[in-house]
Amino acid sequence: MNAFNDPLIFIKGPPVFHLPPKERFEAPYELLDESTSIYEIQKSYSTKTLAIIDKLNFLAKPFQRKVYRPLIFHLKDGVSVQGEVEKVEEDTVILLVGTEELLTYPVDEIERIVWRGSILN
């Protein structure tokens, strides 16, 4: 054994040896940069739409569904829908209108959410 292979501390586990500085950087083969990750393409939303998504996720919780009633959702095409948030998925929201009617809208269609005459912040 030489000075580079002498153990520095004793730890229960497999042995680890340090290479001399000149041997560390000499690789006998070329390392290939290979990526095996899978990336999802994410939609880019405006900051206003991201804020509405946060509000919708907040309003989809059971306690908030009972407290924040009635909600009025103003859509981009000028339509106003009164109801509550049933479920928020990636890019859609399901609204419960009336007692049993479910309506599905894209998240970026909602312009603002109004509760008791004021816009939710």
Side-chain angles (χ1 to χ4, degrees), residues 73 75 79-88 92-98 100-106 110:
F73 301 92
L75 305 177
V79 176
S80 297
V81 178
Q82 183 175 347
E84 59 187 62
V85 180
E86 180 72 24
K87 187 176 180 182
V88 180
T92 59
V93 61
I94 300 172
L95 302 176
L96 178 64
V97 180
E100 295 182 6
E101 185 180 0
L102 295 173
L103 299 176
T104 304
Y105 290 103
I110 298 175

Side-chain angles (χ1 to χ4, degrees), residues 9-34:
I9 59 174
F10 295 98
I11 299 174
K12 186 175 181 177
V16 176
F17 299 102
H18 295 281
L19 296 174
K22 73 175 192 176
E23 290 182 19
R24 281 188 206 161
F25 300 107
E26 294 176 11
Y29 52 90
E30 185 178 326
L31 297 175
L32 299 174
D33 184 23
E34 187 175 311

Side-chain angles (χ1 to χ4, degrees), residues 14-85:
V16 176
F17 299 102
H18 295 281
L19 296 174
K22 73 175 192 176
E23 290 182 19
R24 281 188 206 161
F25 300 107
E26 294 176 11
Y29 52 90
E30 185 178 326
L31 297 175
L32 299 174
D33 184 23
E34 187 175 311
S35 175
T36 58
S37 300
I38 298 173
Y39 297 99
E40 284 187 31
I41 299 174
Q42 296 181 351
K43 289 187 175 181
S44 58
Y45 292 116
S46 66
T47 55
K48 181 180 177 182
T49 304
L50 290 173
I52 289 176
I53 291 172
D54 288 341
K55 290 175 197 172
L56 290 171
N57 285 323
F58 174 76
L59 293 169
K61 296 176 185 173
F63 180 74
Q64 283 79 359
R65 288 181 64 190
K66 302 293 181 195
V67 172
Y68 292 95
R69 284 187 183 173
L71 290 171
I72 301 173
F73 301 92
H74 294 274
L75 305 177
K76 286 186 178 178
D77 57 1
V79 176
S80 297
V81 178
Q82 183 175 347
E84 59 187 62
V85 180

